[in-house]
Amino acid sequence: MGSKQKYHWQSHNVKQSGVDDMVLLSKITEAAIMENLKKRYMDDYIFTYIGPVLISVNPFKQVPYFTDKEVEMYQGSAQYENPPHIYALADNMYRNMLIDDENQCVIISGESGAGKTVAAKYIMSYVSKVSGGGPKVQHVKDIILLSNPLLEAFGNAKTVRNNNSSRFGKYFEIQFSRGGEPDGGKISNFLLEKSRVVSQNPNERNFHIFYQLIELQGEQRDFLGITSPDYYTYLNQSGAFKVDGIDDKKDFEETLKAMPVIGISEEDQTMVLQIVAGVLHLGNINFCEAGNYAAVENEDFLAFPAFLLGINQGSLKAKLTSRKIDSKWGGKSETIDVTLNVEQAVYTRDALAKALHSRVFDFLVESINKAIRKSHNEYSMGVLDIYGFEIFQKNGFEQFCINFVNEKLQQIFIELTLKAEQEEYVQEGIKWIAIDYFNNKIVCDLIESRNPPGIMCVMDDVCATMHAKSEGADSTLLQKLRTQIGTHEHFNSWNQGFIVHHYAGKVSYDVDYFCEKNRDVLFTDLIELMQSSQLPFIQGRFSENLQAEKKGRPSTAGSKIKKQANNLVATLMKCTPHYIRCIKPNETKKSRDWEDSRVKHQVEYLGLRENIRVRRAGFAYRRPFRKFLQRYAILTKETWPEWRGPEQDGVKHLIAAVCMDADQYQLGSSKVFIKAPESLFLLEEMRERKYDGYARVIQKAWRKHVSHKRNAKMREEASDILLNKKERRKNSLNRNFVGDYIGLDDRPEIRQFLDKRERVDFADRVNKYDRRFKCVKRDLILTPKHLYLIGREKVTKGAEKGQLREVIKRCLELEKIEGVTLSTLQDDFLIIHEGQYDSLLETVFKTELISLLSKRFEERCQRKLTVKFSNSMEFKVRNEGWHGIPRSGGPRQVMFTLSQKDEAQLRPSGKVLTVYIGPGLPKNSRPNRRDSSRNERSARGTRGRGRPPGPHGLGPGYNQVCQPTRDSPTRPTQPSSRSSLQRFSRRLSSGEAPTLPREGVPQRPRPTTQQQHNMDFMRVPDKGAAGTQRRMSQERKPPPGGGRPKPRPKPKPRVPQCRAMYAYDAQDTDELSFNAEETIEIIREDPSGWWMGRLRGKKGLFPGNYVEKI
C-alpha cells in the first residue's frame, strides 16, 4: 500500500518511491517491474521512465501536477532534472524539433481506458503554453485545444471499459514555423465506429453528442423535437443515460463554444444539431410485416426526421421500404424496384443514420483542417491518439479493425526500440550481445498479408462475390478462413467465428455482419434521397456523382483501414518517434485499486522487460558524426564554426576535449554512441554554458549601451532640479544612478516590511539626526507609495533577548509629504517635511533620491513636489505626549557656513546645528553627455554592500559624530556587490416543426438492473501463442556481461586555492573570517569581487582583493 505520509512531489525533501527510471532496477523481472509501478502508483507517482519511453498508469482521479508551475518547471529542463512527467517528454519533443531540424511524433498506446486521450490532451496543452506567437498563432492554438472537446462529443462514448472511450482514431499533426510557433495543422481520422449510432452493448452509451443535445433548452429544443432520452430507440437500448464524471450540459457548452472558433458559421452549427436530432428521430421509425414485405408501423414517426432533413415524407417512406437494383442481362441493363423485408428495411434505416452521423463527423474534421491549413510544412509534431486494444463479450468487425491498428502500433514499437536498435549496433560494428523478444509481425501478416492471403484479403474476396445479397456471406467467410489460414499458429476457429492470438492476448470474433460491414456500401437510393434535400448543407454532405461509370472492385472498409494504417506507419517512420505506454491498473475505474493479474498481463505484452534489457545493455544516445559535430562544435575552437577534416576525427577531438571516459562511448562506422544519459547531460551543460557566455557578452554590450543612454537622461533630469540653486560635488555630477545601494535582494529581513509586489525605486543607508543632533543609521527605502526608515533595536525578552532585529521607525505615505529643503552648498543634508514632524537626513545620493521622490510624488498626487533651498533650515522634531502619542515638538535649526574643507564638519549648540562645508562646483554645473568608465566603476562598486569607503575609513560626509560601521572597513577597498553572485547561484433553418408523436413509441425492452450479463470478457485475456513465444524468449537467460559495467572511480579534481594577503573579519553570517597567509579553497569567482570559498570546513563569501591565487 501507499505511504501514509504526504509529501509534495516537487519538494526538495521528496520521498523516494521506487525508481524513476526502471533501467536502474536491481532485478529485471516482471515481478520487480510490477512492484516498482505499484509502489509509485500508490504514492500518486503515475509516471515512470524506461530510458526515453514514458510509462503512464491511469490514476482514475485528478492529480495536482498539471499546473502552470509544472509547465515552468519542465520548460527547457533535461529529462532527469525533475521527476518523470509527460511535460518532460513534450518539452523534449518540442526542443528536438527546433534543434535537430526534424519532425517529431509521439505514439500513445495501451488498452481501452488506460488514459491515452488524456495524455494526448496534456501534450497539446503543454506545447500550446510554451510556444510563443501573435494573434494568428493564438488562433491556431485555440483551434488545437478546442478541437478536442468537439471531436470527443461526436466520436467518444461510454463503454464498459472506459467512460470516455475514443471510438475513432486521430493523428493530430501540429505544424510550426521556423521560430517554433504553431501556425498550422492537420487531423487524420481513422475508422469511426458508426455501428454505435444504432446499437450499443448493455451498460454502454451512444456518442456523447446525443446526450448533450438532450440538455438543450428553449425554443430550439421544441424545434428539434428534443425530449427525454428514453423516448429514442437509439438511446434506450442499454439503459445507461448518465455517466459518473461526465457533465453533459457543461460539455455541450464546450462543444457549442468550439464550433465558431474553428470557423463553422452559425447557420452550419444549426444544421449540425439538426442532423443529430434527425438521426435520433430516424431511429424511432419501426417496421412491421405486411404480406412478407416491410411497412412503416406508425407513419407519424416519419414526419420529424423528414422535416429536420429537408426531404419529402413520402420519399423517405419509399426509400426505407424498397430499393432499386440495376440488372444486366444479354448486354441490356434495366432497373428493378425491389420491396424489402423487415430485416432489410431496418438495415436500410440504420445505414442512413450511420451515414448521416459519419458525414457530419467528417465535416467537422474538414472544418478544423480548413481553419488551420498551411500552404507549406516547415516543422511538425504529431500526436497519435487512437482507440486502445479492446475485448468485449461479443467482438465484431469494429473490434477486429481496432485491434489490427493496435497490432501495427506494437510492431512500430518493436521495430524501432528492440529490433532496429539491435540491428543498428551490428551494422555500425558496435560490440553487442543479442536480446530475444517476441516480434508480432507474424500476427500483422496473418491479418493483412496478400501472399499468402491474410484474413482481410480473404474477406475482400468474399465481399466481391456478394453482389446485392448478404445471406450466407459470413458463413462462407468462416469456411474460407478455415481452409486457407486454419493451420496458422496464431489462428483458431470456432462455430460462430474465429480467434486471433494478438500480442495482447487471444480474442474471439463473431463473424455476424462481418462481410456487410466490410462492404461499407451506402445504397444509391439513399444517396439520391439525401441529394433531394431542400437543405444545401445536407446536399453538400452527399455529393457523389451517381452517373459516373464504376470501374474495378469497390474499396472495402477493411482495405481502407489497412491502407490508412500503413500510411500512418509510413508517416510515423518519417518522424523522430517518442513513446508513451499507458497501463490500466484495474477494471473498476477507481483510484488506488491495483489488479496484479491485469497489470502483469500488460507488462508482459507491452514488452517492458525486454525494453529495459535493451536500454540497459545499449546506448542512451546515438547521432551521425555530422549532426554530432554540428551540435557540439561550439565546445572547442578547432571545431567552431566548422571542423576541417574527417568527421570521425572531429568527433574524437570533441570527446577528448570534454574528457569523457572511454567506457562511456563507442564510435561506429557513421555514428557516435554514448552510453549513459549523464554523459550526454555533461555535453549539453557545457554547450549551454558556452552559448550562455556568448549571449552574456552580447547582452552586456547592449545593456551597457542602453544604460548609458538612460543614465545620461536621468542625470540631466535630476540636475534640472538643482540647477542654479545648489552647488554640486565633483564626484557626484556624472555618477550613474544605481537605485539599490544596500542589496535588498539579499536582505529578506528588510524586504519583509514591504508589500509582496511593491517595487523599490531607491534604497540606501542614511544618517538620521534626532532632536539633539545625534546621528543614527537608518535604511531608507523609497517605493511608488511609501518612504520607509528602518532601524534596529535590541530584543528585551524571549529566546532572542539581546539580539538586534529590524523595525520600521517611520513609514511615510507620499501624499503626506509637504516638501523637501536643501542648502545651497555642496553638503549632503536634506529635510523631509511632514505634518507631525520632520526628518533631517544625510545621504551622498541626495540628487538621485530627490529626483525619484519628485517623480513618484507627481505620479501619486498629480502635482509637483515643493523643493526649497536655504542655508538656514528649520525642522520640527518629534515630541511624545501622553501615552506615547507623537506630537509636534519645538523647532530646530540647521545653519550652513562656508569653510575650506570638502568634508562637512558638524558643530551642535543647543537647538542649532552648524554645518561647515567647503565650496563645490558652481551652481550652473551640468553633467557631461558621456559616462566616464571611472564613474561607472564607482557606481558598480557601491551596489549591494553600502557606500564606498573613504580614504581614512570614513565615507564622504561622515564626521566624528558618526563612527565608521561595517560598511567602512579600514583595510583596502572591498568589492561591495553580492547581488550578481546571488543571482548567478539562483539561475535557473427556420420552419414549422411537426407535432412530436407521443403514443405508440416503440421501445425495445430495456435490461433491468437485476439482469445478469456475462462479464467473463472483462477478465484478463488468455495470452495465446504470442504469450507462449514471449515466455520462451524470457526464459532464455541473458549471457553475463550484458549490463552496464561498473564505472571506474574518477580522480578528485584539484580545487583552486588562494592565500590571504590581509586579515579579514566577517561582517555578516554568510562571510568568512581569516588571517593573513591562510589558504582558502576557491569555489566560485564572481565579477562583483565577492568570491565564494571554503575555510576550515565552512563555506562563505570573502573579498577577492584581499587574496592572491596560488
Side-chain angles (χ1 to χ4, degrees), residues 317-332:
K317 175 185 174 183
K319 297 299 183 183
L320 293 180
T321 55
S322 65
R323 181 186 309 164
K324 288 181 181 180
I325 297 177
D326 293 331
S327 175
K328 290 184 179 181
W329 183 261
K332 295 181 180 181

Side-chain angles (χ1 to χ4, degrees), residues 1042-1059:
R1044 182 182 300 172
K1046 185 177 180 181
R1048 292 175 298 179
K1050 296 181 181 180
K1052 291 186 177 180
R1054 184 176 178 273
V1055 180
Q1057 296 178 330
C1058 60
R1059 183 174 62 253

Side-chain angles (χ1 to χ4, degrees), residues 466-482:
M466 280 175 59
H467 300 298
K469 294 185 178 182
S470 61
E471 291 84 353
D474 294 329
S475 58
T476 303
L477 169 64
L478 186 56
Q479 185 179 354
K480 283 198 172 186
L481 288 175
R482 288 170 178 166

